[in-house]
């Protein structure tokens, strides 16, 4: 389960490489995600247990339904550490998987995670606009929080349809909407400002991370703004997929109340020392997210326009 003839990870980019990345979104994605690969699961509370298995399968079923499961073969585009594919495999949605990512570091971690879980997975470093697999290779292509990193989303949809078998399905989730991204970023900026300034007070100084760590996080956030290329209107995203030749296209949105609370919580957690985040705190944050997600699904999704929600998910099929 190793990638062949793929580039090695580069987790320690030089200042010159980082400077160049600000004018090259693909290089920025490689450098940022190679740098993040080793700590990514911890940063985003990613696990490969019942909590994330349930989340991944619920998200998948909410947009694609349960017909066709288990899919014999599936590829994850922009897999990161393998969160979506590996948890879908554990949930019985997929039998055999392939991970792809532009970041060699992410592919390396995803393959290691798959090996630790005993899952049948191979992997390749891959540009989403030029996927290194043959036509008609997979029954399913999935992705989570990947489309907004790809410069040419239409080209990526065309490539996804090329590598899908006739009648095969794609499912992409975790993409930011235009409205959702606006309020999430504002909430994150306000929370970062308040936390990093209030912890300068002597009474709260024990909650302050070392300044060099805060500076590094700020530089990472600046690079993150380069790798986050797009936000999406759900209807426009559907049009992109149809324009590439997909059929049965459907977009669904999720997380409004959950995002309004989730982004300040995530930003606060990034701004304070990790040892301050006790198990009690983490359980509180997780249970709050569960309650607000339930509110979104049971009530708010029925009365609010889908454009207001933070995440958009999309599915479609290749013509038989």
């Amino acid at each position: 389960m190793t990638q062949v003839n793929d580039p090695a990870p580069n987790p320690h980019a030089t200042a010159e490489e980082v400077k160049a990345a600000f004018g090259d979104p693909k290089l920025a994605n490689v450098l940022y995600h190679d740098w993040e690969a080793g700590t990514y699961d911890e940063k985003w509370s990613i696990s490969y247990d019942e909590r994330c298995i349930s989340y991944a399968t619920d998200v998948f079923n909410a947009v694609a339904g349960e017909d066709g499961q288990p899919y014999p073969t599936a590829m994850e585009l922009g897999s990161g550490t393998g969160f979506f594919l590996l948890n879908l495999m554990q949930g019985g949605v997929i039998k055999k998987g392939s991970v792809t990512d532009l970041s060699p570091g992410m592919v390396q971690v995803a393959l290691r995670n798959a090996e630790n879980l005993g899952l049948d997975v191979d992997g390749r470093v891959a540009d989403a606009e030029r996927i290194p697999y043959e036509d008609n290779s997979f029954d399913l292509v999935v992705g989570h929080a990947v489309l907004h990193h790809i410069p040419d989303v239409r080209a990526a949809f065309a490539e996804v349809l090329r590598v899908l078998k006739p009648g095969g399905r794609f499912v992409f989730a975790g993409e930011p909407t235009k409205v959702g991204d606006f309020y999430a970023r504002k909430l994150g900026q306000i929370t970062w400002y308040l936390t990093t300034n209030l912890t300068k007070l002597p009474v709260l100084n024990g909650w302050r991370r070392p300044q060099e760590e805060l500076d590094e996080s700020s530089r990472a956030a600046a690079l993150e703004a380069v790798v986050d290329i797009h936000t999406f209107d759900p209807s426009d995203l559907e049009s992109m997929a149809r324009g590439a030749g997909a059929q049965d296209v459907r977009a669904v949105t999720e997380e409004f109340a959950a995002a309004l609370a989730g982004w300040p919580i995530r930003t606060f957690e990034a701004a304070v020392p990790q040892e301050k985040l006790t198990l009690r705190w983490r359980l509180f944050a997780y249970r709050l997210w569960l309650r607000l997600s339930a509110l979104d699904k049971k009530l708010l999704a029925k009365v609010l326009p889908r454009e207001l929600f933070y995440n958009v998910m999309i599915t479609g099929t290749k013509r038989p």
Side-chain angles (χ1 to χ4, degrees):
M1 297 202 307
T2 58
Q3 62 268 40
V4 180
N5 298 323
D6 282 343
N10 177 22
H12 305 293
T14 65
E16 291 75 17
E17 287 173 325
V18 172
K19 183 177 180 181
F22 280 92
D24 184 343
K26 288 187 180 181
L27 176 60
N29 266 289
V30 172
L31 296 182
Y32 176 77
H33 289 100
D34 272 3
W35 175 68
E36 286 267 275
T39 57
Y40 195 78
D41 284 352
E42 180 182 5
K43 175 182 177 180
W44 293 103
S45 298
I46 291 172
S47 63
Y48 301 92
D49 54 18
E50 188 57 39
R51 177 176 66 90
C52 282
I53 293 170
S54 295
Y55 172 80
T57 54
D58 286 351
V59 165
F60 185 95
N61 293 336
V63 66
E66 298 183 37
D67 290 346
Q69 298 181 23
Y71 292 85
T73 60
M75 179 195 73
E76 183 169 10
L77 193 69
S79 64
T81 58
F83 156 73
F84 203 34
L85 180 86
L86 302 186
N87 280 312
L88 289 175
M89 292 181 74
Q90 292 192 100
V93 177
I94 297 162
K95 287 186 176 179
K96 177 176 172 54
S98 299
V99 292
T100 68
D101 201 288
L102 195 61
S103 159
M106 287 294 190
V107 174
Q108 188 178 80
V109 174
L111 289 173
R112 185 168 66 240
N113 285 339
E115 186 172 16
N116 291 339
L117 294 166
L119 298 175
D120 186 6
V121 175
D122 59 53
R124 292 294 310 274
V125 174
D127 185 331
E129 298 167 16
R130 293 185 296 276
I131 300 171
Y133 286 96
E134 299 293 330
D135 297 0
N136 308 320
S137 293
F138 300 100
D139 301 286
L140 174 69
V141 173
V142 299
H144 192 279
V146 59
L147 296 179
H148 66 281
H149 293 311
I150 301 170
D152 192 338
V153 178
R154 291 179 186 274
F157 271 128
E159 277 290 275
V160 166
L161 291 170
R162 179 185 66 78
V163 301
L164 276 174
K165 295 176 182 179
R169 177 175 296 279
F170 64 81
V171 173
F172 291 100
E175 300 298 337
T177 65
K178 290 183 181 297
V179 176
D181 182 73
F182 174 79
Y183 61 68
R185 287 190 182 275
K186 289 298 181 185
L187 287 169
Q189 290 166 358
I190 292 168
T191 305
W192 182 266
Y193 175 83
L194 290 174
T195 305
T196 55
N197 280 278
L198 287 174
T199 51
K200 291 178 181 178
L201 298 173
V203 69
L204 295 175
N205 197 250
W207 284 80
R208 185 170 180 80
R209 286 175 61 189
Q211 189 60 45
E212 59 271 19
E213 291 183 10
L214 293 173
D215 291 342
E216 185 178 8
S217 293
S218 295
R219 287 193 297 271
L223 195 56
E224 187 174 19
V226 180
V227 305
D228 290 346
I229 302 172
H230 306 289
T231 57
F232 299 104
D233 177 273
S235 297
D236 290 344
L237 190 58
E238 289 171 330
S239 295
M240 285 186 196
R242 292 192 185 101
Q247 63 179 20
D248 305 319
V249 176
R250 174 175 177 251
V252 176
T253 54
E254 63 172 359
E255 289 197 18
F256 178 68
L260 291 177
W263 278 97
I265 288 173
R266 290 189 194 107
T267 305
F268 169 77
E269 290 176 343
V272 302
Q274 290 301 297
E275 60 268 20
K276 292 291 187 180
L277 303 176
T278 63
L279 177 61
R280 184 176 179 181
W281 163 265
R282 294 185 186 279
L283 287 173
F284 158 75
Y286 176 57
R287 289 166 179 164
L288 176 63
W289 180 83
L290 285 178
R291 293 189 188 100
L292 294 178
S293 293
L295 175 65
D296 288 332
K297 292 174 184 176
K298 294 177 180 178
L299 176 62
L300 299 183
K302 298 176 182 178
V303 298
L304 295 177
R306 67 178 183 170
E307 291 79 8
L308 291 181
F309 289 75
Y310 177 73
N311 280 327
V312 59
M313 308 174 285
I314 187 167
T315 190
T317 60
K318 181 175 180 176
R319 298 182 187 279

